[in-house]
Amino acid sequence: MTDTSPRDLADRFQQRWLEHNPFAATMYGIPGYDHLLPDESEAGEQAWRAEVGRFGEEAAAVTAATPAEAVTLGCVREAGAHEQDGIDMAPAEHTVTAMQFAGPATFLAVAARTVLVDPEAAEAYLARLRSSGTWFGQLGERLRTGAAKGRLPVAPLAERAIAWAQDALPGLGPVFTPQPPPGWARAAQWERERRAVADEVVRPALAGWVETVRELLPRARPSDRAGLVWLPGGQEDYTRAIRIFTTLPRSPEELHQTGLDQVAELEARAVRLGAGLGLSGRDEVFGALRDSAGKISAEEAIRQAVAAVRRAEARAGELFPQPLPPPCEVTPMPEVVAVSGAAPHYTPPRLDGGRAGTFWFNTERPTPGTGWDLEVVAFHEAVPGHHLQLSRLQLLTDLPALQRQRSLSVFSEGWGLYAEQLAEEAGLYDGDRALLGAISSSLMRAARLVVDTGLHAFGWSRERALDYLAEHVPMPREVLAPEIDRYVVMPGQAVSYLTGKLEILRIRDEARQRLGPAFSLPAFHAAVLDHGSLPMPVLARSIADWLDGVTR
C-alpha cells in the first residue's frame, strides 16, 4: 500500500512522458518543453524504460478509491506497458522515411507548427535548434546499430527520404517558419542567431544523417520485404505494435479475417445502394465513387461541408448531453498545407485556448472528402466526430493531464468511425450518394486491417498491398499509394480505427442489453467521452462501473 493517489501518479508520469516526448508537447501546445529534444540513444531509451517500470511498480501498489480513480490508474498502467512495448520495438533501428511520423521529417514538421507566443518560447525554440545536432547524430547511430543486427530500412522509402532531405537542406524552410513575438526588442538578434544555428548545427547534422542512410542503401530491404516480418524479431515487434495501437490482445490472423469479412459486407451493401441509383454491380458503383471527387467547385464543396456540420450541430443535443462545445469552425486550410494535397481534417483546439476547433477544408486541390464522401468526412472530423469529442474534452478541466493531453488512435479514431455510423443512425446523410460515400470511407478502414497484417505478419509486398487496396477501395490508385508507405512506417496504427469502432459498438450493445428501456444514448456517450482518451480495456471497465451506478 502507498499514500500516493492515482492522480498524483498520473501527473508525475505524464510530466516525465512529455519530457521524454517533447515534440508531442509542442504539437499539443503544452508549454515548458519546447527547448527539449528526445533522447534517441539506446542508453537513453533503456533508462526511460527502467523508469517506466518503476512507475508500473508504483501503480501496482496504489489503490483506487473511486471509479474515476480506477480509470486514471488504468490509464497509467496501460500507458506504461505500451511505452515499454514501443521501446522494445526499437523502430529507430530501421525506420527511414520522408513522412512526418519519424526521424528528421518529424523535426521539421514540429518546427513548422511551433508557435512562439512570447520571448520565453522563442528562446526555448532556439535552444532546441542548438541541441539538434546531438539528436540527429543519435538517429544515425541507431540506424547503424540496427544494420549490424540485420534490421535495415526499406529501400524505396530510404531513397525518397534522401531526396526529401536534399530538397530541404538548402533552405531549411520549416526551421524559419516560427516568427518571433511582435515588438520583441531582441527579435533581430534572435533571428541572426537562428540563421547561424541553422548553418552551423542543423544543416550539417541533417546532411550527416543523409550520408548514413546513403551508406545503408545498398543493403536496404527491397519493396517486396517491407513488413516487420522480414526483420529479425519482427514478428514479436508486430505483436507489440498491435498491443500499442489497439490496446487489445488481438492476433494478426483475427484482425486480417475481421478486415476481410467487413470488406465483403460493405461491398455487398454498396452494390445494393448503387442499384437504386441505376448503377449495376460493384465496378460501376466504384467507378462512380472515384469519379465524384473534385466535380464541384471548392466554394461549393466547402458550402456543402458547412451545411453538413451545421445540420449535425442542430441535432447534437439529441445525441449528447450538456455541455455541448462551441460550433466547429469550417475554413480553408492554410495554403502551405493545402498544396501538399492534404485531405480535409480537424485541427483540435489548442490547450492554451489560442485556437478554436476547426475543420480545415482543402480549397486548392481535389482530395478524398470532396466527392460523394464529403459528408462522411465532415461528420467524422467535426460533429458528431472529433470536434464534439475533443472540444468537449477541453471543457473537462478537472481531468488529469494524462487523460486530457494524450490521444490514443484506437479511442479517437474509433470514435471518429463510430460517429460516421451514428450520423447514419440519426438520419444526417443527404441521400444514397452520401451513404455510398460513407461506405467508401468504411471500406478504406476495413481494408487497412487486411493490408497492415498482410505486410507485417504475412510478408506481403508493397505492390500486393497496393493492389488489394486499389481493388477494394474506390479511390484513385495514386491516392492509395502513400497509404501503403504510411503502414510500412507505422506498423499497427492502421488497424486501430476499425478496431476501436467495433469495440465501442460492442460496449454499446452490452449497455443496451443490460439497461433495456432505461438506456440513454446521450448518457452513454457522456460515459464514453468524459474520461478522456482511454485504452479499450479501461473504457470497458469504466462503462461497467457506470452501468453499476445506473442500475443500483
Side-chain angles (χ1 to χ4, degrees), residues 415-431:
W415 176 265
L417 263 64
Y418 170 75
E420 296 176 14
Q421 179 171 324
L422 186 62
E424 180 177 357
E425 293 170 352
L428 293 175
Y429 289 98
D430 185 19

Side-chain angles (χ1 to χ4, degrees), residues 192-460:
R192 287 192 291 271
E193 291 177 20
R194 172 163 64 171
R195 294 200 170 275
V197 172
D199 289 339
E200 297 166 11
V201 179
V202 182
R203 195 170 283 110
L206 179 55
W209 178 84
V210 170
E211 286 310 305
T212 298
V213 176
R214 202 188 301 277
E215 290 169 14
L216 298 177
L217 196 55
R219 299 163 53 197
R221 284 178 285 153
S223 186
D224 60 357
R225 296 192 173 197
L228 288 178
V229 69
W230 298 104
L231 294 176
Q235 288 180 315
E236 294 83 356
D237 283 345
Y238 191 49
T239 298
R240 295 183 182 106
I242 290 172
R243 279 201 303 263
I244 291 169
F245 283 111
T246 71
T247 69
L248 293 165
R250 299 285 191 263
S251 70
E253 292 78 11
E254 180 183 2
L255 291 168
H256 193 82
Q257 190 60 51
T258 297
L260 291 171
D261 293 344
Q262 290 278 319
V263 166
E265 290 178 18
L266 289 163
E267 287 184 342
R269 186 172 181 224
V271 170
R272 290 194 299 272
L273 274 174
L277 297 171
L279 301 169
S280 177
R282 193 193 71 162
D283 289 349
E284 277 196 22
V285 173
F286 278 20
L289 280 161
R290 290 190 184 99
D291 289 344
S292 70
K295 289 295 189 291
I296 57 178
S297 68
E299 292 75 20
E300 176 60 17
I302 200 168
R303 187 197 68 77
Q304 291 185 19
V306 170
V309 172
R310 299 296 173 245
R311 191 161 69 245
E313 288 175 338
R315 300 279 303 283
E318 302 170 27
L319 305 173
F320 301 92
Q322 296 294 329
L324 293 174
C328 181
E329 295 187 11
V330 185
T331 67
M333 64 182 67
E335 184 178 2
V336 67
V337 179
V339 296
S340 72
H345 60 279
Y346 182 67
T347 304
R350 283 180 63 91
L351 294 171
D352 58 13
R355 180 186 61 223
T358 306
F359 178 32
W360 271 358
F361 205 86
N362 195 327
T363 55
E364 298 287 334
R365 294 189 179 178
T367 66
T370 60
W372 289 358
D373 59 350
L374 184 149
E375 289 188 2
V376 71
V377 172
F379 297 142
H380 177 115
E381 301 294 344
V383 177
H386 292 321
H387 177 69
L388 198 145
Q389 169 203 0
L390 296 174
S391 289
R392 181 182 176 87
L393 182 59
Q394 297 313 306
L395 302 174
L396 305 174
T397 55
D398 290 338
L399 282 182
L402 174 65
Q403 291 158 244
R404 289 184 77 222
Q405 293 177 350
R406 299 178 78 175
S407 178
L408 300 174
S409 62
V410 70
F411 184 93
S412 296
E413 297 300 345
W415 176 265
L417 263 64
Y418 170 75
E420 296 176 14
Q421 179 171 324
L422 186 62
E424 180 177 357
E425 293 170 352
L428 293 175
Y429 289 98
D430 185 19
D432 286 352
R433 286 178 175 81
L435 283 172
L436 276 170
I439 291 174
S440 72
S441 175
S442 295
L443 276 167
M444 166 66 89
R445 278 50 175 266
R448 283 173 172 169
L449 269 67
V450 180
V451 169
D452 199 83
T453 53
L455 284 164
H456 295 295
F458 307 129
W460 285 18

Side-chain angles (χ1 to χ4, degrees), residues 6 45 57 73 83 129 182 212 253 302 308 314 328 442 493 499 524 535:
E45 288 279 282
E57 292 169 3
L73 194 55
E83 195 74 8
L129 295 182
T212 298
E253 292 78 11
I302 200 168
C328 181
S442 295
Q493 194 270 345
T499 301
F524 172 77

